[in-house]
Amino acid sequence: MDLLLSGRAAARRSTRQVRIGNVLVGSGAPIVVQSMTNTDTADDFATTMQVAQLARAGSEMVRVTVNTDEAAKAVPKIREKLLAMNLDVPLVGDFHYNGHKLLADNPACAEALDKLRINPGNVGQGVKRDTQFASIVEMACKYDKPVRIGVNWGSLDQSVMARIMDENAKRAVPRDAGAVMREALVTSALESAAKAEEYGLAGNKIILSAKVSSVQDLIAVYRDLAARCDYPLHLGLTEAGMGSKGIVGSSAALAVLLQEGIGDTIRVSLTPEPNGSRTQEVIVAQEILQTMGLRAFTPMVTACPGCGRTTSTLFQEMASDVQNYVRDNMPTWRDQFDGVENMTLAVMGCIVNGPGESKHANIGISLPGTGESPAAPVFEDGVKTQTLRGDNITNEFKAIIERYVARTYPRKGAAV
């Protein structure tokens, strides 16, 4: 993995670095996880609470919709409430159709945001397009804010699409419709970035994205975009869907690109289950990066899938309980200890692979499978330290984890 990661780092295309609030994006900075609220931004309390929830789950940047005058007026209030909660997470304003007017009429909104997101496909139509795009860029320059120029195939600039189609028709061998669409996406992003710089926005204030909802199209678009520019790139499969479909699609697309060194920020755009938590998309994004070895966010639990040797559900329940316990405690551990996010855990269900996997983890337990002796050996850094028995194994194992963290990882601020 070290060789793969060193190769990946060498292959990264982005040579520009953009500062967004307290977060650096691009040019060797860690890949950033971001998300977006689905509350009515005009409801400043509800939006603040969801931003806080997403930030505490690990979103390092949160985007909010700014679509009305009321929403624009709420943004400074949201920022104020977040700071009162000691949350300095960067806020991104998502503007469509009327962003030029909202920013001009609400300078406090522009001041409170850390980044503006604009879509060249719906910033304006006809002769108004360039004027309104320029107006937003001028506001970004005035308030020293970076901009994400986010192209989306669901709202692609039709004038660009028409031009690319005309050019394609004149080719000796015309490309297929998919290739034309992908070229239009990339062209729209690059031409918009060039215009933004022409209007005065510095090159190190620009991030690009070109989102589609097809895995293969997304990979093709970003490979092309990365080859043709050195701006930081934001990755995401748009409208990924719900549940396993959205998770699998996003993972398949993003993993290929990230392994090739493409991408500086990511979002997993999941449709939440009814009454489900918005934080799931943050957890999935973190797990994509962590399972690839690109970043570490929280201790990961290795667990076996189960088989005829594990007819009890004990190891499944324990693995889930331990994973939830770790996630719940991680905000406190992160504040207190250095490096705890790199800890590895294993909760195994029987003797076949249980002891071996447990020895590979920092802390592992091998539960008894069907017909095995009712004993669960615990291993710490490859050494068997004790054997647990009885009905309180899960709580005893969590206590072992707590003690391990306290004695293994240095406390922040402690003298070395």
Side-chain angles (χ1 to χ4, degrees):
M1 180 60 77
D2 289 342
L3 290 175
L4 290 175
L5 292 181
S6 63
R8 181 197 178 282
R12 291 187 72 175
R13 297 293 306 176
S14 170
T15 59
R16 308 190 196 207
Q17 192 168 79
V18 179
R19 177 174 290 278
I20 303 168
N22 55 9
V23 174
L24 293 175
V25 174
S27 189
I31 297 164
V32 174
V33 171
Q34 64 183 78
S35 57
M36 183 176 185
T37 59
N38 61 357
T39 55
D40 179 358
T41 307
D43 185 343
D44 58 276
F45 178 78
T47 303
T48 299
M49 291 302 100
Q50 191 171 76
V51 171
Q53 183 185 41
L54 291 166
R56 287 168 175 155
S59 183
E60 296 161 304
M61 208 180 301
V62 180
R63 182 158 46 115
V64 299
T65 297
V66 187
N67 58 336
T68 64
D69 197 59
E70 292 76 15
K73 285 179 167 52
V75 169
K77 299 176 185 176
I78 294 166
R79 166 63 70 204
E80 184 178 343
K81 286 180 169 66
L82 289 169
L83 291 176
M85 300 165 70
N86 291 320
L87 287 173
D88 194 21
V89 60
L91 285 179
V92 181
D94 194 54
F95 295 94
H96 298 271
Y97 309 111
N98 58 353
H100 61 290
K101 187 175 188 306
L102 292 175
L103 288 167
D105 292 347
N106 297 277
C109 172
E111 183 66 39
L113 291 169
D114 295 287
K115 184 176 75 170
L116 314 180
R117 187 268 180 163
I118 54 178
N119 182 340
N122 57 32
V123 73
Q125 300 298 321
V127 295
K128 293 182 178 180
R129 182 187 60 192
D130 288 352
T131 301
Q132 292 175 183
F133 181 82
S135 175
I136 297 175
V137 171
E138 287 167 5
M139 292 295 288
C141 294
K142 179 178 180 179
Y143 292 98
D144 195 28
K145 305 296 181 180
V147 172
R148 171 159 72 94
I149 296 172
V151 183
N152 190 298
W153 76 344
S155 52
L156 185 57
D157 186 330
Q158 291 306 298
S159 66
V160 174
M161 186 66 181
R163 171 159 52 90
I164 300 298
M165 289 175 66
D166 288 344
E167 293 171 357
N168 186 61
K170 296 174 184 176
R171 292 170 61 97
V173 181
R175 294 176 292 184
D176 63 35
V180 172
M181 181 275 296
R182 293 191 293 271
E183 176 60 26
L185 281 164
V186 174
T187 298
S188 179
L190 294 177
E191 289 184 352
S192 297
K195 282 184 181 178
E197 290 203 52
E198 180 184 330
Y199 296 147
L201 189 64
N204 65 353
K205 294 286 188 181
I206 298 172
I207 295 174
L208 298 184
S209 66
K211 293 188 177 182
V212 300
S213 57
S214 159
V215 169
Q216 294 298 342
D217 282 322
L218 191 83
I219 293 170
V221 164
Y222 273 95
R223 281 174 173 166
D224 193 12
L225 190 58
R228 291 163 63 176
C229 77
D230 63 352
Y231 296 108
L233 301 179
H234 168 68
L235 303 186
L237 192 72
T238 191
E239 285 87 46
M242 183 179 288
S244 60
K245 186 263 184 187
I247 293 171
V248 171
S250 295
S251 301
L254 269 57
V256 170
L257 293 167
L258 291 168
Q259 190 63 32
E260 293 180 5
I262 298 170
D264 301 280
T265 81
I266 67 170
R267 182 192 173 202
V268 176
S269 300
L270 295 181
T271 303
E273 299 285 348
N275 301 314
S277 174
R278 190 72 165 176
T279 59
Q280 185 188 21
E281 68 175 47
V282 178
I283 293 170
V284 172
Q286 288 181 328
E287 289 180 348
I288 290 172
L289 294 176
Q290 187 152 347
T291 55
M292 292 183 69
L294 300 175
R295 286 193 66 185
F297 297 94
T298 190
M300 301 289 280
V301 177
T302 298
C304 62
C307 66
R309 294 175 177 270
T310 57
T311 55
S312 166
T313 61
L314 174 61
F315 86 94
Q316 298 163 335
E317 294 164 358
M318 184 172 178
S320 176
D321 196 353
V322 169
Q323 183 70 77
N324 290 335
Y325 167 78
V326 167
R327 282 202 171 276
D328 290 345
N329 280 274
M330 192 59 206
T332 301
W333 289 345
R334 188 184 296 114
D335 289 342
Q336 294 181 347
F337 302 101
D338 278 321
V340 69
E341 65 274 7
N342 296 300
M343 181 172 61
T344 57
L345 305 169
V347 177
M348 302 300 293
C350 78
I351 200 171
V352 174
N353 293 316
E357 284 282 1
S358 296
K359 289 176 182 177
H360 287 305
N362 292 125
I363 314 172
I365 186 168
S366 180
L367 298 171
T370 304
E372 293 177 12
S373 173
V378 174
F379 298 84
E380 299 180 52
D381 294 323
V383 178
K384 180 181 175 182
T385 57
Q386 57 190 292
T387 299
L388 303 182
R389 295 181 175 84
D391 298 329
N392 200 35
I393 285 179
T394 299
N395 288 332
E396 291 176 3
F397 187 68
K398 288 190 287 188
I400 291 170
I401 295 171
E402 191 73 41
R403 291 194 295 271
Y404 182 93
V405 169
R407 73 170 183 270
T408 304
Y409 298 99
R411 286 192 174 271
K412 291 187 174 179
V416 179

